């Protein structure tokens, strides 16, 4: 089973259990989804519940908000987070704020799924990682599944949530193979998870960077460095408890995030560690993020701009040994 | 600039605690001067300086426990004096005689001229504001050392600071690791000996035992020992010793140990292969003969400090060396060169009544010579049976460096030297 299959099964499960759930977005129906996530679903559920939308993000996200307000449980698929910028006003100023502005009268139980990340030579406008940016907004939840179980189960949990939930799926993960799952059901969407235990350094990360971090940890284990790798899973709200426990255990922290470091989620986590676990730190918090440039098109430049196993290994060595 | 580092004083030493400095920044030192006292597991050792020059910078404060190899002070060569008071001899357009009258003693004026000190800039501390010699010398002293020992803010990680506070460790006594910032590892290292004043007597019981254990375990682990022994007729030697001592006052009398050391030194001159070290998979014969003499300590434990150049010393000189060394060793006041320079160790357990000694070589040496008690025994000589004073000499040697043949040669030659004591 691939990550893609897991997400599809998640949608399928949710749609079978609850008639109010429907999927809408560009090319989700006849084309089967830009990333083939919804392949076969049109045949199973019909055009009323698998709806191809016009190429107009602001409109169909707005329609999704309306459907949610009207009692439905829409899953809005924005092809990639890059295009979500066209619907930012809907997301930030309507979906996220209606509950507050209505004095608690109107929940917006909307789920928006977006592909995120770079690495496929889609260049500057189509390679953003904006999940950290969206985590800035009060009123929504931001999820970053990186495992099959989370790809499958987070959707159900999100649909059960009365407020808007944004799910960011890193596009390089769709082909990732894993053990076949059978209806894991709803998974927790409030906690981070320690994916690998270690005592020398803790690596806080999410999405595709999780797997690069795990690979780096395997490399470092051979050199006697034990890296603890924490999958953040939820960027808003951040699981402070799990983060600080790991910091207190290891005293050295590396944050790996595909977003840019300036004002990114890595900066937020670093600030929280300063506030809550300052006296546990033996070294300043380190970060590996994308280079502060629009994402290059040329393959070698794009590779150099993104976090990689080598740069994670080097950063950890610098932290633990004092040299790269 | 030369660096004065925490030396490795043997016995797998990893760290030492600086007890006190004998010098301060600005002092002149010569090679061989004792400049610091360092507490190791084996007691307090006086550390000698290897450079001649001026102490430029002191980097470690007393009380700090630092790893072997850490830079403790910086010594600059005598010529490197960065004294600003040696300015370019400014040939003032105005002749010196035109300068305003300076109230200075004649000697002060002379010294000022030599050192290039501008007297007009000085305030005199003598009567009536007289500038005297001390004022001039003080002004000439290089205040502006390249990096004076001023208070530099030491950076400490939050965790290290918290740990130090919890454990009652004074951060001023901690020296940082390679990062230059005091971190958890530096606190952990310092937390081990938490006694503020290490008493050598208290240490020698436990720390010394551990140090000996480490060295002996290493020796047995790494050195393939072979053992040889021979019995030596000491009649000639003892008779000679008695005659020599009759010529001396009581306090100058020679102990048999002197003969043992002299004979071993001579034998090593004949069979030099046993005199040296096994280092980095290589046998390095030492040109000089420094014999380590095993001395047992009152509280238990053992040190084997070196007596340098035994071969060139007379019996009286060796006796004087022993008389100086043994009490100092028992008081834990040995010098660093004595701890590290032995090329071979001699151990004599004759006083305790053992016949022969099969010792453990002290790495990186390649041999150990043991002497047992001199016992009256039946002995055949020239076809006649008699009772002679017999001493068993044993050799433990490193088979990587030498073979039994060499060891046997050594013992044979040693025996012969004891038969001609007057030639020693």
């Amino acid at each position: 089973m691939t990550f893609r299959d897991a997400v599809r099964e998640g949608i399928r499960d949710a749609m079978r259990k609850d008639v109010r759930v429907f999927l809408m977005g560009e090319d989700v129906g006849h084309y089967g989804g830009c990333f083939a996530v919804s392949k076969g679903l049109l045949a199973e559920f019909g055009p009323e519940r698998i709806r191809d939308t016009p190429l107009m993000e602001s409109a169909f996200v707005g329609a999704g908000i309306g459907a949610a307000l009207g009692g439905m449980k829409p899953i809005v698929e924005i092809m990639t987070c890059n295009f979500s910028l066209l619907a930012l006003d809907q997301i930030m100023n309507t979906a996220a704020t209606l509950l507050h502005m209505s004095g608690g009268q109107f929940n917006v139980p909307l789920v928006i799924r977006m592909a995120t990340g770079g690495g496929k030579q889609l260049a500057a406008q189509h390679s953003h990682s904006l999940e950290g940016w969206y985590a800035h907004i009060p009123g929504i939840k931001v999820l970053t599944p990186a495992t099959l179980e989370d790809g499958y189960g987070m959707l159900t949990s999100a649909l059960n949530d009365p407020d808007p939930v944004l799910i960011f799926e890193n596009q390089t993960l769709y082909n990732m193979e894993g053990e076949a799952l059978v209806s894991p059901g709803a998974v927790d969407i409030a906690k981070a998870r320690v994916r690998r235990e270690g005592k020398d350094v803790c690596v806080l990360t999410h999405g595709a960077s999780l797997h690069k971090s795990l690979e780096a940890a395997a490399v470092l284990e051979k050199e006697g460095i034990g890296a603890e790798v924490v999958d953040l899973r939820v960027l808003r709200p951040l699981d402070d408890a799990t983060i600080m426990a790991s910091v207190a255990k290891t005293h050295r922290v590396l944050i790996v995030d595909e977003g840019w470091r300036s004002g990114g989620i890595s900066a937020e986590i670093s600030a929280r560690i300063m506030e809550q676990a300052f006296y546990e730190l033996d070294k300043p918090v380190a970060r590996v993020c994308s280079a502060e440039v629009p994402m290059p098109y040329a393959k070698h430049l794009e590779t150099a701009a993104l976090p990689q196993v080598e740069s994670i290994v080097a950063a950890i060595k610098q932290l633990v040994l004092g040299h790269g | 600039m030369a660096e004065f580092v925490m030396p490795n004083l043997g016995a797998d030493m990893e760290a030492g605690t600086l007890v006190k400095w004998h010098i301060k920044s600005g002092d002149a030192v010569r090679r061989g001067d004792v400049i610091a006292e360092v507490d190791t597991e084996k007691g307090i050792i006086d550390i000698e300086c290897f450079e001649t020059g001026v102490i430029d910078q002191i980097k470690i404060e007393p009380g700090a426990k630092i790893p072997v190899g850490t830079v403790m002070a910086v010594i600059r060569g005598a010529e490197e004096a960065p004294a600003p008071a040696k300015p370019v001899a400014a040939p003032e357009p105005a002749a010196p005689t035109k300068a305003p009258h300076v109230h200075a003693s004649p000697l002060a004026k002379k010294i000022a001229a030599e050192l290039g000190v501008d007297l007009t800039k000085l305030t005199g501390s003598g009567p009536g504001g007289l500038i005297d010699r001390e004022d001039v010398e003080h002004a000439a002293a290089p205040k502006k050392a390249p990096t004076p020992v001023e208070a530099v803010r030491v950076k400490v990680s939050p965790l290290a600071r918290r740990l130090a506070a919890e454990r009652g460790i004074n951060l001023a006594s901690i020296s940082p690791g390679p990062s230059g910032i005091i971190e958890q590892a530096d606190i952990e290292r310092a937390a081990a000996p938490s006694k503020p004043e290490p008493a050598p007597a208290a240490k020698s019981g436990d720390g010394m035992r551990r140090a000996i254990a480490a060295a002996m375990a290493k020796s047995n682990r790494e050195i393939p020992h072979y053992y040889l022994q021979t019995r030596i007729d000491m009649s000639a030697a003892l008779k000679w010793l008695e005659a020599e001592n009759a010529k001396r006052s009581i306090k100058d009398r020679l102990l048999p140990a002197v003969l043992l050391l002299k004979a071993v030194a001579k034998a090593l001159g004949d069979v030099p292969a046993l005199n040296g070290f096994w280092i980095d998979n290589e046998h390095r014969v030492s040109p000089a003969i420094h014999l380590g003499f095993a001395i047992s300590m009152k509280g238990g434990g053992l040190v084997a400090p070196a007596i340098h150049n035994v071969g060139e010393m007379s019996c009286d000189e060796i006796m004087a060396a022993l008389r100086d060394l043994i009490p100092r060793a028992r008081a834990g006041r040995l010098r660093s060169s004595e701890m590290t320079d032995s090329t071979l160790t001699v151990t004599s357990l004759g006083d305790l009544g053992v016949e022969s000694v099969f010792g453990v070589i002290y790495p990186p040496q390649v041999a150990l010579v043991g002497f047992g008690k001199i016992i009256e025994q039946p002995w055949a000589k020239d076809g006649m049976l008699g009772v002679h004073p017999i001493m068993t000499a044993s050799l433990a040697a490193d088979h990587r460096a030498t073979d039994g043949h060499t060891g046997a040669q050594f013992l044979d030659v040693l025996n012969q030297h004891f038969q001609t004591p007057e030639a020693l």
Side-chain angles (χ1 to χ4, degrees), chain B residues 277-289:
Chain B
F277 308 103
W278 183 266
I279 296 176
D280 292 333
N281 263 329
E282 228 180 48
H283 184 200
R284 300 191 192 164
V285 176
S286 167
I289 301 175

Side-chain angles (χ1 to χ4, degrees), chain A residues 251 278-283, chain B residues 157-160 162 183-184:
Chain A
H251 308 297
F278 178 76
Y279 297 99
E280 296 300 337
L281 290 174
D282 203 33
K283 288 268 165 71
Chain B
S157 85
L159 177 63
R162 171 168 75 80
E183 292 167 356
Q184 177 190 22

Side-chain angles (χ1 to χ4, degrees), chain B residues 255-420:
Chain B
L255 289 176
V258 168
L259 267 185
L260 301 182
L261 287 167
K262 202 91 210 311
V264 168
K266 249 195 150 199
L268 283 177
D270 300 321
V271 185
L274 292 170
N275 182 53
F277 308 103
W278 183 266
I279 296 176
D280 292 333
N281 263 329
E282 228 180 48
H283 184 200
R284 300 191 192 164
V285 176
S286 167
I289 301 175
H290 308 309
L291 294 182
F293 188 66
I295 300 170
S296 65
M297 313 287 281
K298 291 238 154 74
L302 189 66
V303 279
I307 303 173
H308 292 77
N309 300 310
V310 177
E312 293 153 30
M313 291 166 83
S314 71
C315 289
D316 287 302
E317 284 168 334
I318 299 178
M319 189 62 215
L322 284 175
R323 256 204 303 271
D324 163 59
L325 194 60
I326 294 174
R328 264 198 303 122
R330 296 221 163 107
R333 304 298 314 215
L334 294 167
R335 313 188 104 213
S336 53
S337 59
E338 287 161 349
M339 296 302 291
T340 52
D341 288 354
S342 295
T343 56
L344 178 139
T345 302
V346 174
T347 178
S348 169
L349 288 175
D351 303 337
L352 297 173
V354 288
E355 259 192 56
S356 58
V357 183
F358 294 104
V360 182
I361 298 171
Y362 196 74
Q365 295 164 35
V366 294
L368 179 105
V369 178
F371 293 107
K373 184 178 169 143
I374 302 176
I375 303 177
E376 302 266 298
Q377 289 181 20
W379 192 256
K381 184 174 172 175
D382 300 327
M384 298 287 288
L385 204 54
V387 175
H388 290 235
I390 306 297
M391 177 178 73
T392 302
S394 60
L395 171 73
D398 184 339
H399 216 314
R400 298 172 298 184
T402 61
D403 298 328
H405 183 73
T406 312
Q409 273 182 327
F410 172 80
L411 284 178
D412 188 46
V413 148
L414 183 67
N415 192 344
Q416 286 172 33
H417 284 310
F418 278 118
Q419 306 314 317
T420 53

Side-chain angles (χ1 to χ4, degrees), chain A residues 87-110:
Chain A
L88 190 51
D89 182 74
Q90 295 284 3
I91 297 171
M92 188 168 196
N93 283 328
T94 307
T97 52
L98 263 181
L99 182 64
H100 162 79
M101 294 201 304
S102 68
Q105 293 179 74
F106 299 127
N107 288 88
V108 183
L110 173 66

Side-chain angles (χ1 to χ4, degrees), chain B residues 202-227:
Chain B
K203 272 265 175 52
S204 78
D206 203 36
M208 169 168 293
R209 202 69 252 163
R210 268 199 309 258
I212 294 174
M216 297 291 97
K218 176 177 173 177
S219 174
N220 247 336
R221 213 171 39 230
E222 292 176 6
I223 302 182
H225 286 60
Y226 70 88
Y227 299 98

Side-chain angles (χ1 to χ4, degrees), chain A:
Chain A
M1 185 184 235
T2 63
F3 185 79
R4 169 190 296 111
D5 297 333
V7 177
R8 182 185 313 118
E9 291 311 309
I11 298 171
R12 191 176 266 142
D13 267 10
M15 288 183 68
R16 282 182 187 159
K17 285 197 187 112
D18 190 338
V19 295
R20 294 173 296 169
V21 177
F22 71 97
L23 175 68
M24 72 173 174
E26 292 162 11
D27 290 332
V28 297
H30 290 91
Y31 192 75
C34 167
F35 297 100
V37 171
S38 49
K39 192 158 173 203
L41 294 184
L42 176 64
E44 186 174 339
F45 295 100
E48 290 270 312
R49 297 184 72 194
I50 305 290
R51 304 178 75 93
D52 281 322
T53 64
L55 219 138
M56 201 169 180
E57 280 74 12
S58 183
F60 66 74
V61 171
I65 294 171
L69 283 168
M72 301 298 284
K73 297 225 147 187
I75 304 170
V76 173
E77 179 177 309
I78 303 180
M79 195 176 284
T80 71
C81 68
N82 307 286
F83 311 125
S84 73
L85 298 174
L86 299 157
L88 190 51
D89 182 74
Q90 295 284 3
I91 297 171
M92 188 168 196
N93 283 328
T94 307
T97 52
L98 263 181
L99 182 64
H100 162 79
M101 294 201 304
S102 68
Q105 293 179 74
F106 299 127
N107 288 88
V108 183
L110 173 66
V111 174
I112 302 178
R113 283 181 44 250
M114 308 185 235
T116 185
K120 301 219 152 173
Q121 286 192 271
L122 295 179
Q125 295 174 332
H126 292 64
S127 306
H128 295 310
S129 288
L130 297 177
E131 54 276 5
W133 218 48
Y134 275 100
H136 189 56
I137 306 169
I140 59 170
K141 289 194 172 72
V142 174
L143 309 180
T144 53
T147 60
L148 267 63
E149 185 190 34
D150 283 345
Y152 199 138
M154 276 185 167
L155 185 66
T156 303
S157 314
L159 286 164
N160 289 340
D161 198 294
D163 296 312
V165 179
L166 274 49
I167 303 179
F168 290 83
E169 299 157 6
N170 190 292
Q171 52 169 318
T172 61
L173 292 180
Y174 286 125
N175 283 334
M176 178 173 75
E177 293 268 358
E179 231 182 87
L181 299 167
V182 180
S183 289
V187 299
D188 162 85
I189 52 169
K191 289 201 165 358
R193 194 151 300 156
V194 178
R195 297 290 183 196
R196 179 190 226 270
E197 293 206 10
K199 55 168 182 50
D200 295 318
V201 62
C202 92
V203 182
L204 305 170
T205 186
H206 65 93
S209 300
L210 169 67
H211 301 284
K212 292 178 187 171
S213 301
L214 286 170
E215 222 184 292
V219 167
L220 288 161
E221 182 172 22
K222 299 201 193 90
E223 304 187 36
I225 297 177
E228 176 147 301
V229 180
V230 179
D231 179 4
L232 292 166
R233 298 177 70 246
V234 185
L235 297 189
R236 186 175 186 104
L238 280 168
D239 179 5
D240 289 350
T242 303
I243 292 171
M244 302 311 153
S246 192
V247 172
K249 179 179 168 191
T250 57
H251 308 297
R252 287 169 217 90
V253 186
L254 174 69
I255 305 173
V256 183
D257 173 40
E258 209 178 296
W260 296 297
R261 65 189 353 241
S262 303
I265 193 76
S266 60
E268 168 63 21
I269 297 170
S270 186
R272 291 191 189 203
I273 292 173
M274 260 271 287
E275 288 162 356
Q276 301 176 43
F278 178 76
Y279 297 99
E280 296 300 337
L281 290 174
D282 203 33
K283 288 268 165 71
V285 174
R287 301 185 278 174
V288 170
C289 300
S290 285
E292 300 266 305
V293 292
M295 191 61 65
Y297 163 72
K299 183 67 186 164
H300 64 300
L301 291 178
E302 185 186 48
T303 303
L306 289 167
Q308 302 293 355
V309 175
E310 293 78 27
S311 52
I312 298 171
V313 168
I316 292 175
K317 280 189 175 169
Q318 180 69 39
L319 264 181
V320 176
L321 303 173
H323 59 81

